[in-house]
Amino acid sequence: MTVVVAAVHSFAFLPCLAAAPEDCGFSFSEVAAETGLRFVHDAGAAGGLHLPETMGAGVAWIDFDGDGWLDLYLVQSGPFPPDDGEVSADRLFRNLGPDDAGELRFAPAGAGDLARGYGQGVVAADVDGDRDIDLLVSRYGPTVILRNDGVGRFAAAERLAAAAPEGGADEFPWGSSMALADADGDGDLDLHVSRYLDYDPDHGLDCRREGPESPPEVCDPSLFTGQHDRFYTNDGDGGFEDATAAAGLAGADGKGLGVLFTDLDADGRPDLYVANDLTLNLLFRNRGDGTFEDLSLLSGAAVNRNGRPEAGMGLAVADFDLDGDPDLAVTNFDVETNTLYRNAGPGPGLLFEDVSATTGFGQPSFNLLGFGIVAEDFDRDGALDVYVANGHIFASPRRDNTEHRQRNLLLRGRSGDAAGGFSEVRCVWTDGDPLVSRGAAIADYDNDGDADLAVTANGGPARLWRNDTTGPAGTTWLGLELRGRSPNTQAVGAVATLSGETGTPPARRWTIRGDSYQSSSGHRLRWAVPAAAGRRQLDLRWPSGARTRIVDPPAGAYLVVEERP
């Protein structure tokens, strides 16, 4: 049967504020081609107008060969529906480091048979505790793991089995973003896979905006039920077992697109937050016994300030207001605006407040559809900035002020603003040559102390934005690479705080694996160090609860700190 459907996301109208590109104070250069990074995402569109063809794919920064230079893994999608015939393969680019002229280059890496199929998300982490970084790749299909053999190659992809949901087989698994943390407290990394829609390519819907005579288009996500997310515990050898129900996460049945693990209440245990499309965002508090408590509605982070669920896509976590606890940022559909949830601090339960309007975070995104999101002090002024990758899912969006290809969004954190406020900055490099952007991940690929950007595009080229921004006069930087005890060799879940004598609040960073949208940023942490910083100290809380203090850590370099046995 063919059904004519005209379903849309809910709209609310606000005034459109335009701004012209300017010399914005952030200098980034697009260097993908000149560095040898040539990759074009294949959405696999063949005229069927399928939703998976609009969702793009992610990117991961990974030092897979252990040489100290971050390499780049790009997820490919390919023909849809996927079959056993023509199958796309992901791409891995090795960072060769500087040549004799000091120029950095990437080259395709012959690192084994990488993941194949209709790829979606990726996360890089050492899942088996051998100090080699492995890869997990989500797909329209089963999630797979690529194990690093320690000599620069990956073993053939292994499928992660998911327990069959109530009522039947898991016929059309569709994984999206992933995150890892030691959720059950046994020392190794567990995995959460957000999953999107129960999408049958033969769904029989013929979706048209203006009735039977109008052109067909991609069907709205509201027409499909969401899939249950999956939670896997690590067996200690890097194998994973589906423990969704046992962990109390069987209720995670929204339309999941973003996920992250972070200790949101400072009790030393990673909590779980999931961004859902059109349904409530989910927040689960870690009880400390291998199970989670659903505090979604009680926390205030399930809906916006008007009590409405939004179309969540990507996630970032950071201490935007410098009060010592992690806040949550969510990208949403156009018209809804992106959402910033301020953490109310330690106390009974978990409490968040939507401060999108009062901080300037939300309004600039009104005409944009956000996916990937990252937070970093790009200009070294002491305040965290935010970059959002934008692009619509509809080739012909339903509002005049919204395009399919969209400029990306840059928000400058207001230095010295205790409220954690933001101002939009319009730059030539963010506004020019827009694409249908999806994944975004940050890392210092050239080891110069600032964060660079890798951004993917649905059906378009990947871009590499090198950060050339000059910070305030005399400002330098401090970098940190943590090496934890096996099996958590990357110290996932650690908290690092830099404080000084200048009267500015301490700046706190969290070590996480999996963020943004279907992507994985680099593993190292960075801070700006002002010229008048005076004496400073770096305090570390390891995942085990052990603490380390470093007085006057050296600036202008990455400090490698190992957890004591």
Side-chain angles (χ1 to χ4, degrees), residues 224-307:
F224 305 93
T225 59
Q227 290 196 352
H228 284 73
D229 293 353
R230 310 312 303 177
F231 172 72
Y232 298 86
T233 53
N234 193 319
D235 64 9
D237 293 320
F240 290 94
E241 178 181 352
D242 190 330
T244 309
L249 295 171
D253 60 348
K255 301 175 180 181
L257 288 174
V259 61
L260 53 80
F261 278 110
T262 310
D263 180 8
L264 297 172
D265 54 1
D267 64 357
R269 300 187 290 262
D271 307 299
L272 179 67
Y273 188 63
V274 180
N276 288 317
D277 184 12
L278 298 167
T279 59
L280 300 175
N281 294 336
L282 300 174
L283 192 152
F284 294 94
R285 179 180 175 273
N286 192 325
R287 290 191 176 105
D289 60 359
T291 67
F292 291 82
E293 175 186 10
D294 187 350
L295 297 179
S296 303
L297 282 171
L298 293 175
S299 72
V303 294
N304 65 14
R305 64 185 301 158
N306 296 317

Side-chain angles (χ1 to χ4, degrees), residues 97-275:
D99 59 18
D100 292 341
E103 300 295 329
L104 273 74
R105 295 286 185 272
F106 288 87
D113 190 12
L114 303 179
R116 294 177 177 271
Y118 202 84
Q120 295 287 269
V122 60
V123 62
D126 178 10
V127 300
D128 49 15
D130 63 357
R131 298 196 180 276
D132 304 312
I133 309 304
D134 312 295
L135 288 160
L136 288 139
V137 181
S138 63
R139 306 178 295 176
Y140 181 87
T143 299
V144 299
I145 180 172
L146 304 176
R147 297 185 188 277
N148 192 328
D149 65 5
V151 292
R153 294 183 66 83
F154 291 93
E158 306 169 25
R159 292 187 175 190
L160 300 188
E166 289 186 28
D170 204 8
E171 189 174 2
F172 301 106
W174 184 355
S176 185
S177 298
M178 298 171 289
L180 295 113
D182 180 12
D184 56 8
D186 65 354
D188 50 34
L189 296 181
D190 310 302
L191 170 69
H192 190 276
V193 182
S194 64
R195 303 202 307 173
Y196 193 31
L197 302 176
D198 189 9
Y199 188 88
D200 180 353
D202 298 321
H203 52 67
L205 299 178
D206 182 15
C207 298
R208 301 171 186 263
R209 187 183 311 176
E210 304 295 342
E213 303 304 319
S214 63
E217 61 180 33
V218 171
C219 291
D220 194 278
S222 63
L223 299 175
F224 305 93
T225 59
Q227 290 196 352
H228 284 73
D229 293 353
R230 310 312 303 177
F231 172 72
Y232 298 86
T233 53
N234 193 319
D235 64 9
D237 293 320
F240 290 94
E241 178 181 352
D242 190 330
T244 309
L249 295 171
D253 60 348
K255 301 175 180 181
L257 288 174
V259 61
L260 53 80
F261 278 110
T262 310
D263 180 8
L264 297 172
D265 54 1
D267 64 357
R269 300 187 290 262
D271 307 299
L272 179 67
Y273 188 63
V274 180

